[in-house]
Structures are given as structure tokens and as C-alpha cells.
Amino acid sequence: MSAVAAAAVALIGVRFRLHGRDPAHGLDCVGLVAAATGRAAPTGYGWRSGDAAKAAAALDAQFQRTTDSPGAVLLLRAGPGQLHLAIRVGDGIVHADAGLRRVAWRPGAPPWPVLGCWKGEG
């Protein structure tokens, strides 16, 4: 398992918190990616931020593009005007699930369209 995938799995169960950056207090999807990859997380985004090009540019500034493989950061379209980030693990994804109010593992393929993949390591 890649270091990023292992770090994401270790965060399963952490409570959800919008704009959360510290696992002790809660994480959102951006905070999850920051915690799992050791990278800085942006701030100032809203609950609904459907500008995929802007999100992809922010990810391009931090990561290298890759394929959908374990340890990859996935940019997903979770709904109209709503983007979401997740970490690919071998048997599914780890993401901050607002509905479950925690970081969760979801088996299999993401249920949302994948807009891009970035290498979480390196």
C-alpha cells in the first residue's frame, strides 16, 4: 500500500468538519488530502464550488497528474456545483463524508465522475 493510501486509511473515523485541517478536531475532503499527503491545504472555498478548472489548477500546483491508482488524489464531481476530493486505496476510496459526519472508506469505484487524478506522493 502506498504511504498516502496508508495515511488516508489511518484517518478513517475522524469526524467531518467543514474547513477542518486537524484530525484531532475534524477534516473535510481538502483537509483529508492535506493530512494524507503532508501538503498545504487551500482555504476560502465554499461548500459549493463547481469550478473544476480552478480546482484542477490548484491541484496541478501541488501534485503531478497521474492515473487512477492507489495513493492518487481524485477530483470528483459529487453533484451540480459540488466538487469533492478523495484518496484512492486499492479496494475503494477514502473521503470525508459529510452525510456520515466522518472520514469513511467506500468500496469499489467512486459513485461520482472522476474529473482528474494526481499523484499524492513525491
Side-chain angles (χ1 to χ4, degrees):
M1 179 178 290
S2 79
V4 170
V9 167
L11 295 166
I12 292 171
V14 168
R15 79 180 188 102
F16 177 87
R17 180 178 180 182
L18 184 60
H19 295 166
R21 297 292 180 270
D22 183 344
H25 302 291
L27 298 170
D28 66 3
C29 66
V30 176
L32 168 67
V33 168
T37 64
R39 305 288 175 96
T43 59
Y45 55 89
W47 186 255
R48 299 245 183 237
S49 52
D51 189 342
K54 183 177 176 180
L59 289 163
D60 284 339
Q62 293 281 331
F63 304 101
Q64 181 179 41
R65 295 238 183 190
T66 191
T67 59
D68 186 351
S69 56
V73 174
L74 307 181
L75 176 62
L76 308 162
R77 171 134 351 253
Q82 187 174 8
L83 301 175
H84 189 48
L85 298 176
I87 303 287
R88 167 63 75 190
V89 295
D91 54 354
I93 61 170
V94 174
H95 70 117
D97 192 312
L100 294 176
R101 305 296 300 154
R102 63 181 172 80
V103 174
W105 168 75
R106 178 184 277 271
W112 311 288
V114 176
L115 303 179
C117 304
W118 288 261
K119 186 177 178 182
E121 296 174 277

